[in-house]
Amino acid sequence: MLHIYDTLSRTKVPFKPVEAGRVRMYVCGMTVYDYCHLGHARMLVGFDIVQRWLRASGLEVDYVRNITDIDDKIIRRAVQTGRRIGEVTAFFIDAMHADERALGVQPPDHEPRATAHIGDMLDIIGRLEEKGLAYRAEDGDVNYSVRNFPDYGKLSGRSLDDLRAGERVAVAAGKRDPLDFVLWKAAKAEEPEDTKWPSPYGFGRPGWHIECSAMSKSLLGLPLDIHGGGPDLKFPHHENEIAQTEGAYGGVLANVWMHCGPLMVDADKMSKSLNNFRTIRQTIAQGEPDDAKADYVSNPREAEMLRFFIARNHYRSPQNYTPDNLIDAQNALDRLYQALANVAPDEQGLDWDEPQAQAFKAAMDDDFNTSGAMAALFQLAAEANRTGSARTAGQLKALAGILGLLQQDPQAYLRAPTRYKPGGAAPSASLDDASIEAMIESRAAAKRARDFAEADRIRAALREAGIELEDKPGGTTNWRRL
């Protein structure tokens, strides 16, 4: 039985959907004002694997991942660039989708945009006001009264007094309490007109937190089976979602709360605020991506390497980013593909009774333990290399496919250049396929003429250029870029 670590109860719990056989999962998505970085990639890939395993387990999944398309950061970007809000968000939504395609992230079943749910947000705010949980401030904003919600702090595990002592929330003039947060922001004269919506409280726009409460309730109903997001959303975003939704409707917002771990750069979390981030497109694009264009061409070998790099760690664990760690991930993924290149997999489908498939399933049912599932893949690769069993290679490919890995043609994958190897940029990229094939033919001709010195020289030159040949009694049968 699947067990998931629930952030709220701080324990692994057996997963039992509200409706048997169906999972309603909501994950907080991107605020689309800039390109996605590798920390975002971890969230995108992590929850993609979660929904893949739920489906592989025979469950029907209704997966919602929202887009925040109205926010202070988006407004600043629009003002700085002289573009309308919709132009800014459309560009970065397209850029995010390009990243997802490159990483093999399957689209969610629903991808709501906050601006399409303003009415749902105003409905919740009205309910909160009726229950004494929201008030109109002198500055025109509508705020949530945190001290009127007794359970506030239960997700983060902090009391109201602890939170206030930590001075985690900036004090605004219209707030009754420093911890109160905005539900509806009154429009300001200097703000663009396309950031203002009519409401019972005057023209304005929603606060960030109310957006997810409205979209999750509207599309999935209550309670959610799973609510997920990045590590920095636990407080205050998810804490505030609980206060809003449970305050308005009673009951619980979600039965299971999931948070992926941070992507670290040394001792700090990768983030735009610390300016220590690297974008997805910078990491996996063929050449330098044109930042004037949302789309780009990815290097398929490097893109799958990045997915593998993320998947090899348990989703809740902190993960450290260094160039050397990407190189290590590239080398490890190459070994799995080499096994499939050595032994062509059969296509008979998964045999769940096979020992490594059982180990894979046990790992994934233990809070989506992808690091344990990866161990089963490497055991199968070793067995395929040792025995030459097409059935074993087929098991390897099929199980890896659940994680979104090993679905490329092995020969095409291994012949693609990669920057992620010791020494930096791969010298093999300087030789195109036609040049390599010509050198291999020249080597074969030298061997036929018994000029073994020339044959050895060509092999050494190819090796120096990062090309490894696979020789068998009949000659060179394959080659790959190291």
Side-chain angles (χ1 to χ4, degrees):
M1 185 177 190
L2 173 63
H3 285 70
I4 304 176
Y5 183 85
D6 172 34
T7 308
L8 179 60
S9 65
R10 296 161 184 79
T11 59
K12 286 183 188 177
V13 296
F15 181 61
K16 296 179 180 178
V18 174
E19 181 182 339
R22 179 182 176 224
V23 180
R24 294 176 296 170
M25 181 169 81
Y26 184 91
V27 173
C28 292
M30 297 295 111
T31 300
V32 284
Y33 71 98
D34 207 345
Y35 298 108
C36 295
H37 60 61
L38 298 185
H40 298 139
R42 188 169 194 206
M43 183 278 291
L44 291 168
V45 171
F47 284 103
D48 180 59
I49 290 174
V50 167
Q51 65 90 18
R52 283 172 180 259
W53 181 246
L54 293 172
R55 296 182 201 274
S57 300
L59 295 166
E60 177 188 347
V61 181
D62 206 355
Y63 176 27
V64 177
R65 195 189 66 227
N66 77 290
I67 291 174
T68 295
D69 62 345
I70 182 64
D71 178 85
D72 290 346
K73 294 174 182 176
I74 297 171
I75 294 172
R76 282 197 295 271
R77 174 61 73 105
V79 171
Q80 290 166 359
T81 59
R83 292 184 291 171
R84 294 180 62 82
I85 295 291
E87 293 178 272
V88 171
T89 57
F91 180 89
F92 287 113
I93 288 169
D94 288 346
M96 177 186 70
H97 288 161
D99 290 333
E100 291 170 355
R101 288 192 297 272
L103 294 175
V105 172
Q106 296 174 339
D109 298 294
H110 308 279
E111 193 176 54
R113 302 185 186 189
T115 54
H117 289 266
I118 301 294
D120 296 321
M121 298 173 205
L122 291 171
D123 179 67
I124 296 176
I125 295 171
R127 290 171 180 267
L128 293 173
E129 192 175 23
E130 289 175 3
K131 295 185 177 184
L133 291 168
Y135 61 90
R136 307 184 195 197
E138 294 179 1
D139 58 6
D141 290 352
V142 180
N143 295 327
Y144 189 97
S145 182
V146 165
R147 289 198 178 268
N148 288 350
F149 183 71
D151 283 342
Y152 194 83
K154 65 181 179 179
L155 182 66
S156 58
R158 303 176 225 183
S159 70
L160 290 176
D161 291 335
D162 288 340
L163 290 168
R164 187 166 188 175
E167 297 179 351
R168 295 294 303 272
V169 182
V171 179
K175 291 182 178 181
R176 297 175 181 171
D177 188 285
L179 289 173
D180 292 350
F181 58 90
V182 67
L183 299 167
W184 186 260
K185 293 186 176 185
K188 297 178 175 59
E190 68 273 13
E191 293 174 336
E193 289 303 311
D194 56 354
T195 66
K196 303 172 185 178
W197 283 264
S199 82
Y201 318 105
F203 280 90
R205 66 179 186 274
W208 174 38
H209 311 297
I210 195 68
E211 297 177 356
C212 286
S213 285
M215 287 183 279
S216 60
K217 166 70 166 59
S218 174
L219 290 165
L220 295 174
L222 295 173
L224 309 174
D225 292 302
I226 296 173
H227 193 318
D232 53 338
L233 299 185
K234 184 191 305 183
F235 182 87
H237 183 55
H238 288 162
E239 196 77 73
N240 291 351
E241 274 191 71
I242 289 173
Q244 293 164 161
T245 304
E246 297 182 6
Y249 298 104
V252 298
L253 169 53
N255 287 336
V256 176
W257 285 88
M258 294 180 66
H259 294 89
C260 61
L263 184 66
M264 308 297 292
V265 182
D266 297 324
D268 295 315
K269 184 176 79 73
M270 181 178 286
S271 67
K272 287 189 169 70
S273 61
L274 295 176
N275 198 32
N276 64 350
F277 67 93
R278 182 172 177 81
T279 66
I280 296 171
R281 59 174 48 210
Q282 287 173 329
T283 308
I284 63 174
Q286 289 186 1
E288 289 296 322
D290 183 354
D291 281 347
K293 297 179 180 179
D295 206 354
Y296 63 98
V297 177
S298 65
N299 179 314
R301 188 171 177 182
E302 295 174 354
E304 187 167 347
M305 173 278 297
L306 181 55
R307 185 181 180 95
F308 176 87
F309 166 74
I310 294 166
R312 74 193 303 195
N313 279 61
H314 190 274
Y315 77 92
R316 281 194 292 114
S317 302
Q319 186 172 16
N320 199 40
Y321 163 80
T322 68
D324 284 346
N325 286 347
L326 296 187
I327 290 168
D328 182 68
Q330 187 75 80
N331 290 338
L333 181 60
D334 288 357
R335 291 198 300 275
L336 293 178
Y337 264 110
Q338 189 61 54
L340 296 182
N342 293 340
V343 184
D346 69 17
E347 303 293 339
Q348 295 182 29
L350 262 173
D351 175 8
W352 284 109
D353 292 327
E354 184 269 327
Q356 293 307 324
Q358 291 182 350
F360 182 100
K361 184 179 187 305
M364 292 299 289
D365 278 345
D366 182 14
D367 193 28
F368 308 99
N369 182 6
T370 51
S371 56
M374 286 286 187
L377 299 186
F378 280 96
Q379 288 288 342
L380 286 167
E383 183 180 341
N385 286 328
R386 183 176 65 254
T387 65
S389 166
R391 186 75 191 99
T392 299
Q395 284 284 98
L396 169 60
K397 182 178 179 181
L399 286 172
I402 295 173
L403 302 180
L405 299 169
L406 300 188
Q407 302 308 294
Q408 297 185 57
D409 174 77
Q411 181 171 293
Y413 168 89
L414 291 166
R415 290 184 176 184
T418 176
R419 293 165 289 177
Y420 298 103
K421 55 184 291 182
S428 60
S430 62
L431 286 177
D432 60 24
D433 289 9
S435 299
I436 295 167
E437 296 286 358
M439 291 176 71
I440 291 173
E441 178 53 39
S442 296
R443 178 171 177 260
K447 290 175 75 173
R448 288 194 296 271
R450 306 189 67 78
D451 187 351
F452 298 113
E454 175 63 8
D456 289 345
R457 185 198 67 78
I458 294 173
R459 182 185 183 93
L462 286 167
R463 179 75 186 191
E464 181 67 22
I467 308 299
E468 183 174 88
L469 304 181
E470 184 177 335
D471 285 343
K472 291 187 177 178
T476 300
T477 58
N478 207 350
W479 60 270
R480 68 186 182 101
R481 287 184 168 92
L482 297 174

